[in-house]
Amino acid sequence: MDYFLKQYGLQQGALEIQYIEEFFLDFARKKNAAEVVQRLAHRDHQILMAEATLPDSSGTVVPVSYRVSHELRPIESDAKLADLVGRLDGTIEFEDQKVLYNWLGATRMDWRGQGQFRALTEEQEVWAIARGYGEVVVKTKNRYYGMRGTLDSLQFNVIKLEPSTDPLESKVYLSKRLGPGVLDAHRGRRHVVRA
Ligand SMILES: CC(C)(COP(=O)(O)OP(=O)(O)OC[C@H]1O[C@@H](n2cnc3c(N)ncnc32)[C@H](O)[C@@H]1OP(=O)(O)O)[C@@H](O)C(=O)NCCC(=O)NCCS
């Protein structure tokens, strides 16, 4: 299968994220464009989307999957990110390598299981390695079984578990080292344009 990906600049990408998040009814707090701009404006970041044709006869192309990542620094002034760095203390090496954080990402229901998220992840890895990132981290919760299974398939390793009284709410932190072997494992045929 061929995958059609777009890498967006900040302003347009933020609007696209706001648009696509409306399709995810299970997300408690959807991100709006202003929040996205605020988080990404002063840090290295990537906004990637996959597009596909609607399964009707219209030929309309729509965004179906997205992945947003940004640099995570050892010292963060943003309170949420400073908290994240603190929680990762002892599990991630921040001093000797650039660390990428997978902030947002999902695939619309009707397009799941077709490799869209793998294609975005592979493209992100190409970009991240070219920019000198050594490791990519992500956090999720026990209850997101689909995401956990996906991260497993994409060869992320669990680096920390923060237990909660409700096990479904326990937070799981995972990472993947971006060594040379990572690119060899890529399989999707990707067509990438910059919007
Ligand atoms: C997780 C999610 C992004 C996967 O997207 P997708 O486009 O369907 O994923 P892909 O088709 O690219 O699959 C990538 C790999 O993950 C595996 N995978 C996908 N969904 C899976 C699931 N529900 N359970 C186990 N494995 C799964 C695939 O088999 C594939 O592995 P392979 O390439 O080795 O065969 C999508 O299901 C989703 O958006 N879920 C909701 C998001 C969410 O839960 N967010 C919570 C906050 S973290």
Side-chain angles (χ1 to χ4, degrees), residues 106-107 112-118 140 144 146-147 149-150 153 187:
T107 300
R112 288 184 188 172
Q114 298 176 12
Q116 300 287 355
F117 201 71
R118 173 178 278 282
T140 185
Y144 296 125
M147 182 55 90
T150 300
S153 292
R187 3 175 151 134

Side-chain angles (χ1 to χ4, degrees), residues 3 24 26-27 65 105-108 111-119 138-141 144-151 153-154 187:
Y3 299 95
F24 297 97
D26 45 345
F27 285 8
S65 186
T107 300
R108 285 171 64 180
W111 284 272
R112 288 184 188 172
Q114 298 176 12
Q116 300 287 355
F117 201 71
R118 173 178 278 282
V138 62
K139 83 175 183 228
T140 185
K141 286 184 179 176
Y144 296 125
Y145 293 107
M147 182 55 90
R148 283 175 45 212
T150 300
L151 292 169
S153 292
L154 297 172
R187 3 175 151 134

Side-chain angles (χ1 to χ4, degrees), residues 16-32 35-36 49 64-68 103-109 112 117 139-141 143-147:
E16 294 288 336
I17 293 162
Q18 178 171 302
Y19 169 77
I20 198 169
E21 287 227 337
E22 289 301 317
F23 290 94
F24 297 97
L25 304 176
D26 45 345
F27 285 8
R29 274 202 68 248
K30 299 182 201 311
K31 297 283 182 268
N32 63 42
E35 285 174 273
V36 173
M49 297 229 170
V64 298
S65 186
Y66 68 114
R67 200 139 187 39
V68 182
W103 180 36
L104 306 171
T107 300
R108 285 171 64 180
M109 198 66 86
R112 288 184 188 172
F117 201 71
K139 83 175 183 228
T140 185
K141 286 184 179 176
R143 71 183 160 100
Y144 296 125
Y145 293 107
M147 182 55 90

Side-chain angles (χ1 to χ4, degrees), residues 3-183:
Y3 299 95
F4 297 91
L5 313 185
K6 263 192 191 161
Q7 184 171 337
Y8 283 93
L10 181 55
Q11 299 298 334
Q12 196 185 343
L15 292 171
E16 294 288 336
I17 293 162
Q18 178 171 302
Y19 169 77
I20 198 169
E21 287 227 337
E22 289 301 317
F23 290 94
F24 297 97
L25 304 176
D26 45 345
F27 285 8
R29 274 202 68 248
K30 299 182 201 311
K31 297 283 182 268
N32 63 42
E35 285 174 273
V36 173
V37 170
Q38 191 191 12
R39 168 71 69 99
L40 300 182
H42 302 295
R43 59 184 69 248
D44 193 32
H45 65 269
Q46 189 195 41
I47 300 174
L48 263 187
M49 297 229 170
E51 295 187 335
T53 310
L54 284 177
D56 56 17
S57 52
S58 68
T60 308
V61 172
V62 293
V64 298
S65 186
Y66 68 114
R67 200 139 187 39
V68 182
S69 56
H70 64 72
E71 184 174 14
L72 190 61
R73 307 177 190 122
I75 297 171
E76 290 284 355
S77 51
D78 176 282
K80 276 189 188 166
L81 294 178
D83 178 70
L84 175 62
V85 171
R87 288 170 195 276
L88 290 169
D89 187 35
T91 62
I92 292 279
E93 183 52 67
F94 281 100
E95 300 301 336
D96 299 331
Q97 63 173 357
K98 279 173 78 180
V99 175
L100 189 67
Y101 175 53
N102 270 334
W103 180 36
L104 306 171
T107 300
R108 285 171 64 180
M109 198 66 86
D110 289 353
W111 284 272
R112 288 184 188 172
Q114 298 176 12
Q116 300 287 355
F117 201 71
R118 173 178 278 282
L120 290 176
T121 303
E122 292 181 354
E123 189 56 31
Q124 181 203 55
E125 289 171 352
V126 170
W127 175 89
I129 288 171
R131 289 171 96 86
Y133 286 97
E135 191 159 355
V136 53
V137 294
V138 62
K139 83 175 183 228
T140 185
K141 286 184 179 176
N142 260 347
R143 71 183 160 100
Y144 296 125
Y145 293 107
M147 182 55 90
R148 283 175 45 212
T150 300
L151 292 169
D152 186 48
S153 292
L154 297 172
Q155 301 195 330
F156 277 76
N157 297 309
V158 174
I159 52 171
K160 183 175 176 177
L161 176 73
E162 263 176 18
S164 167
T165 43
D166 175 357
L168 293 182
E169 290 300 314
S170 295
K171 285 190 183 152
V172 188
Y173 298 81
L174 305 98
S175 91
K176 181 171 181 176
R177 286 183 188 274
L178 297 174
V182 166
L183 301 184

